[in-house]
Amino acid sequence: MKKNSTALLLVFLLFFARICLSQIQSISGQLINGRGTTEKLDFVNLKFYLNSELIGEVYSDDSGFFNLNLISRVENDIIPGKTYNLNQNYPNPFNPNTTISYTLDRGGTVKLEIYNIIGQKVRTLLHSFQSMGTHFVIWDGKNDQGSFCGNGSYFYRFQFDGQTEIRKMCFLNVPTVYNYQATNLSGLKKVQTSNQLEIQLSNRDIQDTTFVYMFEQLPEHIELAEMRVHVFPFSRTIPDTLSLMSGESTTDTLDIYFEKPIEISSPHLPVEWCFTEDSLVAITYLQVDRHYAWVEIKEIGGVKSSFAAAYFNISPRLKLDKAKLRKGYIGIPYQEIIGAKNQVGDYLISYERGLPSELAIEDLAIS
């Protein structure tokens, strides 16, 4: 039994040592849409999970590129002419304790902190005045709350005399796993040696997507191939401001990006639309009686919509009431001046009641 337990412990030591020696330092790549371009792929949120644990979060740039730098998450400002000597922790990898030693050329305040792989502080080991000479600090693998940290790589950051230095170490919290499997050696067959990297993408203009990658051994730098993302339809162009008479119909042409069949409507006006020969969209607004209308664009059967605002410069119509006109006499020229205030654009004159066909309308006068 003792021999089997020793063999099992050795297997776990080798397994976690490999994890510590193969930590990811950076992950980079580029997002592209369904048409092979980078439209609408700026400021996409990317969350990275390694074996279901969040390790970082970034946003894509204007060209869809992203880069997660895990090492730089803990700032390292090393100043030449340092007045101390920081040693590598020993032992390393370690379980459950490790010792960090350093030598000061003169007395001063020392700050020693522990960070995880994504730059989160987990423990402040020391923050006090230290005299000149050599000092030793022990870390027991616990965080500030007194709980054991998980297996993996950690950084200890040493600050003294305005100088900062960071070193890497590996914590093997073996007893937790060892005790779980120690009663059954057949459990060795169930130990997963592969690592799962999961990247979750989200943005209002794209379909939320998750990419999963498997690695037998984690490389320090991961450069991913182009990651194709589905972008919802939208209008590349801003609708023109159209001039027309109230109640008329008018047509505009829009350049719409889409990857799947679309439908176009408006909550304010009836519209008709069709594709042109050059793959643009000709949209006709029917019986326009307002100065603006929203155009809704979405995929057929989809729930995600984008909107474009159409504006109209509407000229008013004048109505003539026969009862308010003067009497006309045969052989005597008739003229009625129509007064208008704050005139903008042209007028279209219509009749409220029928007028004799002998009357002719010229400009804004009836004769």
Side-chain angles (χ1 to χ4, degrees), residues 346-366:
D346 299 327
Y347 289 101
L348 181 64
I349 299 178
S350 60
Y351 308 107
E352 281 193 350
R353 303 178 188 175
L355 290 175
S357 59
E358 291 81 4
L359 293 180
I361 299 176
E362 296 177 1
D363 295 327
L364 297 180
I366 300 178

Side-chain angles (χ1 to χ4, degrees), residues 46-289:
L46 297 95
K47 292 182 179 179
F48 300 81
Y49 295 84
L50 181 60
N51 299 325
S52 301
E53 180 181 354
L54 180 66
I55 62 172
E57 179 179 4
V58 297
Y59 288 87
S60 59
D61 63 15
D62 293 342
S63 300
F65 285 102
F66 64 87
N67 181 53
L68 175 68
N69 191 332
L70 294 170
I71 298 302
S72 64
R73 301 296 291 274
V74 181
E75 185 180 3
N76 190 357
D77 300 323
I78 301 178
I79 302 176
K82 61 183 183 180
T83 56
Y84 66 90
N85 181 47
L86 178 65
N87 300 313
Q88 183 65 46
N89 66 299
Y90 181 84
N92 186 42
F94 68 95
N95 175 60
N97 300 323
T98 190
T99 300
I100 302 170
S101 62
Y102 55 91
T103 302
L104 306 179
D105 292 347
R106 57 173 178 264
T109 299
V110 173
K111 191 174 185 179
L112 184 59
E113 299 170 309
I114 308 296
Y115 288 81
N116 61 21
I117 193 67
I118 62 173
Q120 298 172 328
K121 187 178 73 171
V122 298
R123 180 78 176 271
T124 299
L125 292 178
L126 179 67
H127 191 190
S128 63
F129 181 85
Q130 300 284 290
S131 61
M132 180 181 65
T134 301
H135 303 266
F136 301 88
V137 179
I138 297 176
W139 184 39
D140 57 5
K142 295 181 180 180
N143 57 27
D144 282 330
Q145 289 71 45
S147 302
F148 275 105
C149 297
N151 297 291
S153 292
Y154 291 85
F155 300 93
Y156 56 97
R157 182 168 74 169
F158 179 88
Q159 294 177 289
F160 174 74
D161 197 20
Q163 303 160 87
T164 301
E165 186 172 344
I166 295 173
R167 296 216 176 185
K168 184 178 180 181
M169 58 184 170
C170 184
F171 177 45
L172 302 179
N173 190 5
V174 176
T176 302
V177 182
Y178 172 69
N179 292 336
Y180 176 77
Q181 297 282 3
T183 58
N184 187 359
L185 282 177
S186 63
L188 286 174
K189 298 179 182 180
K190 300 179 182 179
V191 175
Q192 299 294 324
T193 59
S194 60
N195 297 278
Q196 176 177 293
L197 174 64
E198 183 178 325
I199 306 176
Q200 296 180 0
L201 281 63
S202 61
N203 182 277
R204 65 181 181 180
D205 297 318
I206 70 170
Q207 180 176 333
D208 291 350
T209 308
T210 299
F211 293 86
V212 178
Y213 303 89
M214 303 301 298
F215 298 91
E216 288 299 323
Q217 185 170 356
L218 292 174
E220 289 186 350
H221 303 282
I222 298 178
E223 296 183 4
L224 301 173
E226 291 180 338
M227 302 165 65
R228 192 171 294 272
V229 181
H230 176 59
V231 174
F232 296 119
F234 65 94
S235 178
R236 294 188 177 108
T237 54
I238 299 175
D240 294 329
T241 299
L242 305 173
S243 297
L244 70 161
M245 292 292 180
S246 176
E248 286 188 325
S249 299
T250 186
T251 299
D252 193 11
T253 302
L254 302 178
D255 182 7
I256 294 180
Y257 174 95
F258 62 95
E259 298 178 6
K260 297 180 180 180
I262 61 172
E263 55 186 4
I264 300 175
S265 61
S266 172
H268 301 131
L269 292 172
V271 297
E272 295 177 350
W273 66 278
C274 64
F275 286 109
T276 64
E277 293 182 355
D278 48 1
S279 298
L280 299 177
V281 171
I283 179 170
T284 301
Y285 307 95
L286 304 175
Q287 302 173 354
V288 179
D289 59 357

Side-chain angles (χ1 to χ4, degrees), residues 2 8 11 19 40 61 74 176 240 252 299 327 341 352:
K2 182 177 180 180
L8 181 59
V11 168
I19 292 178
K40 291 293 184 180
D61 63 15
V74 181
T176 302
D240 294 329
D252 193 11
E299 295 170 347
K327 292 183 178 180
K341 295 182 179 180
E352 281 193 350

Side-chain angles (χ1 to χ4, degrees), residues 11-24:
V11 168
F12 279 110
L13 285 173
L14 292 174
F15 172 67
F16 286 112
R18 188 182 71 170
I19 292 178
C20 291
L21 296 174
S22 305
Q23 288 291 338
I24 301 174

Side-chain angles (χ1 to χ4, degrees), residues 22-38:
S22 305
Q23 288 291 338
I24 301 174
Q25 295 184 14
S26 67
I27 305 172
S28 59
Q30 184 183 22
L31 308 178
I32 60 171
N33 57 37
R35 292 193 172 186
T37 68
T38 60

